[in-house]
Structures are given as structure tokens and as C-alpha cells.
Amino acid sequence: VVGISGVAAATATTFNFPYDFYLTSNNTLIVTDFNNNRVQRFAPGSVSGTTLPGLPVWGPSAVEMDANGVLY
């Protein structure tokens, strides 16, 4: 993943205080972007992320996945 940290903008390639990450079994990277109040998913080989929809987040500080693939 190529990105810029500490940037207040919420683009697909910027983070504003990335706090935690989770690497799935298929090498998808999940990153909490604390100050942008979002969780980003990066597919293997991707240089830009996708914001995960439907997650109520305010300053996400941790991410975990259960055996069924549900993110917490």
C-alpha cells in the first residue's frame, strides 16, 4: 500500500492517523483511519483503498475479523 499519513483529506490514498490494521487470509489489508473516521480496505496489489460501507465509526482504533469474515 502506498499512502500518505497525517493528511486531513479523506482520499483513497491518504490516511489521517492510521491506527490499526488487519491482514485477511487472502492478503486484503484492512486499515482503521482514526482521524478520517473510516475503515479502508486494500485489495492485494492495490495502491488505493475503498471505504467499507455500513460501519458506524468515530475514530476507529481497532479492527478484528471473526471466523465468518465479520469485521468488528
Side-chain angles (χ1 to χ4, degrees):
V1 173
V2 176
I4 301 168
S5 183
V7 177
T11 70
T13 59
T14 59
F15 294 117
N16 191 1
F17 199 50
Y19 202 84
D20 193 21
F21 70 93
Y22 184 88
L23 187 62
T24 68
S25 60
N26 69 348
N27 291 324
T28 297
L29 181 64
I30 310 294
V31 180
T32 60
D33 189 5
F34 188 85
N35 287 339
N36 281 326
N37 300 310
R38 65 183 180 172
V39 177
Q40 291 283 94
R41 173 182 34 214
F42 293 85
S46 177
V47 295
S48 64
T50 302
T51 300
L52 295 177
L55 295 175
V57 293
W58 184 255
S61 59
V63 64
E64 292 291 328
M65 183 179 286
D66 68 16
N68 295 318
V70 177
L71 285 174
Y72 297 96

